[in-house]
């Protein structure tokens, strides 16, 4: 079992903010909600750093979904985390910039700008891309391949990676598992951090006991959700369990790509 620990390190564009807030009620119309705005800004200001520190204490690298604006405004922090081994992944220029809402020119600019900013901040060109809400289509995925991306995680339609081949390029789709994502867990379903841990432990126990197939299991935490002290302990419990668990490969999506990609050449 490959377990991929994912940290969402995100910012929104000026005039936009997080679509969720901890109050449970949203302002009507198109008004910017100061509560949701402040809630989201916690990610880059404090929460993501706490999650990085947890991973590093246990000697593991995380896959990091990174907004271009993070690279623009927190370049030093991003480089420091990349230098210790975390995998920096393209994740749109701003968390509110969703591909279904963008024109072709805006899509091209988003990918090019995000890629350039991430490379400038870290000194490394990102190899992988995961869109906000996992919302890219085949046309966007082909565009990612043309920009040199080796893999994307915008797939929910299989358990194992598969190769997408276009007329002029190719890219590996590494599907996402969505069962352990702190935002819907807390905001949509109203579950507790303890339930997050218990569900993960039970799932790992059952899957390892069945021993019937090779699987990828994702854990996704956001700096503005479980990056807060009341949720960060749950992430640490899961990290500790994965590190100590025989039969679990704690890895990144880039490492999965490196392992899997040669099989498609046979």
């Amino acid at each position: 079992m490959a377990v991929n620990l994912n940290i969402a390190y995100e910012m929104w564009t000026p005039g936009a903010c997080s679509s969720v807030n901890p109050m449970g009620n949203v302002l009507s119309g198109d008004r910017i909600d100061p509560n949701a705005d402040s809630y989201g800004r916690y990610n880059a200001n404090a929460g993501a750093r706490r999650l990085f520190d947890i991973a590093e204490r246990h000697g593991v690298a995380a896959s990091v979904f990174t907004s271009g604006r993070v690279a623009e405004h927190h370049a030093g922090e991003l480089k420091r985390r990349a230098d210790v081994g975390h995998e920096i992944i393209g994740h749109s220029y701003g968390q509110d910039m969703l591909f279904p809402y963008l024109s072709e020119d805006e899509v091209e600019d988003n990918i090019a700008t995000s890629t350039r900013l991430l490379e400038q901040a870290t000194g490394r060109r990102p190899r992988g891309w995961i869109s906000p809400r996992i919302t890219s289509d085949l046309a966007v995925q082909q565009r990612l391949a043309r920009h040199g991306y080796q893999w994307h995680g915008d797939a929910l339609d299989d358990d194992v990676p598969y190769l997408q081949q276009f007329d002029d390029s190719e890219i590996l789709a590494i599907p996402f598992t969505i069962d352990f994502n702190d935002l819907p867990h807390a905001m949509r379903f109203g579950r507790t951090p303890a339930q997050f841990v218990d569900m993960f432990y039970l799932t790992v126990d059952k899957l390892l006991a069945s021993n019937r197939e090779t699987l990828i299991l994702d854990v996704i935490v956001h700096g503005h959700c479980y990056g807060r002290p009341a949720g960060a302990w749950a992430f640490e419990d899961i990290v500790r369990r994965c590190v100590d668990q025989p039969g679990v490969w704690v890895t990144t999506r880039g490492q999965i790509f490196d392992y899997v990609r040669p099989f498609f050449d046979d």
Side-chain angles (χ1 to χ4, degrees):
M1 181 188 297
V3 175
N4 193 186
L5 302 171
N6 304 275
I7 297 174
Y9 190 15
E10 300 167 339
M11 291 180 70
W12 286 255
T13 61
C17 67
S18 171
S19 59
V20 297
N21 71 82
M23 302 309 294
N25 58 325
V26 297
L27 298 184
S28 60
D30 296 327
R31 295 174 178 83
I32 291 293
D33 186 341
N35 180 279
D37 178 45
S38 186
Y39 178 75
R41 283 189 281 111
Y42 186 88
N43 186 318
N45 288 345
R49 293 198 300 271
R50 180 175 289 112
L51 296 171
F52 292 137
D53 289 345
I54 288 170
E56 290 165 25
R57 276 202 298 273
H58 295 276
V60 300
S63 293
V64 184
F65 313 165
T66 316
S67 307
R69 278 182 59 79
V70 168
E72 206 169 32
H73 295 276
H74 300 276
E77 176 69 13
L78 191 63
K79 178 170 174 50
R80 184 163 76 88
R81 302 304 181 170
D83 285 348
V84 299
H86 296 295
E87 177 186 34
I88 307 303
I89 298 167
H91 191 50
S92 187
Y93 176 69
Q95 182 63 11
D96 52 293
M97 299 184 71
L98 305 177
F99 285 133
Y101 294 131
L102 304 182
S103 68
E104 286 190 17
D105 287 344
E106 289 170 332
V107 168
E108 176 65 23
D109 181 67
N110 188 315
I111 295 171
T113 300
S114 300
T115 305
R116 173 176 53 80
L117 290 170
L118 293 177
E119 185 172 12
Q120 285 176 350
T122 65
R124 305 172 181 89
R125 191 172 180 85
R127 301 167 62 203
W129 181 283
I130 296 173
S131 304
R133 296 189 72 256
I134 309 181
T135 47
S136 71
D137 59 14
L138 280 174
V140 173
Q141 290 156 17
Q142 182 177 16
R143 196 177 293 270
L144 289 168
R146 289 172 179 164
H147 277 271
Y149 281 92
Q150 297 175 327
W151 64 265
H152 72 82
D154 290 354
L156 303 172
D157 56 354
D158 209 331
D159 291 320
V160 294
Y162 57 89
L163 188 65
Q164 294 174 289
Q165 294 179 307
F166 306 106
D167 292 341
D168 58 354
S169 57
E170 64 181 33
I171 192 167
L172 194 73
I174 306 178
F176 234 87
T177 57
I178 56 174
D179 306 276
F180 301 102
N181 185 329
D182 61 344
L183 270 180
H185 179 89
M187 297 295 182
R188 180 180 178 188
F189 300 115
R191 296 173 181 149
T192 67
Q195 288 174 303
F196 195 70
V197 173
D198 290 345
M199 289 170 59
F200 182 80
Y201 280 18
L202 180 61
T203 298
V204 168
D205 288 343
K206 293 293 185 182
L207 293 178
L208 288 176
S210 70
N211 196 31
R212 285 194 294 266
E213 54 184 331
T214 300
L215 296 170
I216 300 171
L217 199 60
D218 286 289
V219 177
I220 306 113
V221 286
H222 296 71
H224 53 300
C225 190
Y226 275 14
R228 298 171 188 269
W233 69 265
F235 178 61
E236 184 154 24
D237 270 16
I238 286 173
V239 172
R240 186 182 298 112
R241 170 68 189 273
C242 290
V243 169
D244 294 339
Q245 177 66 58
V248 168
W249 176 32
V250 183
T251 188
T252 65
R253 256 178 171 66
Q255 290 170 334
I256 291 173
F257 172 87
D258 290 338
Y259 178 77
V260 169
R261 181 60 186 84
F263 291 100
F264 292 94
D265 294 328
D266 293 342

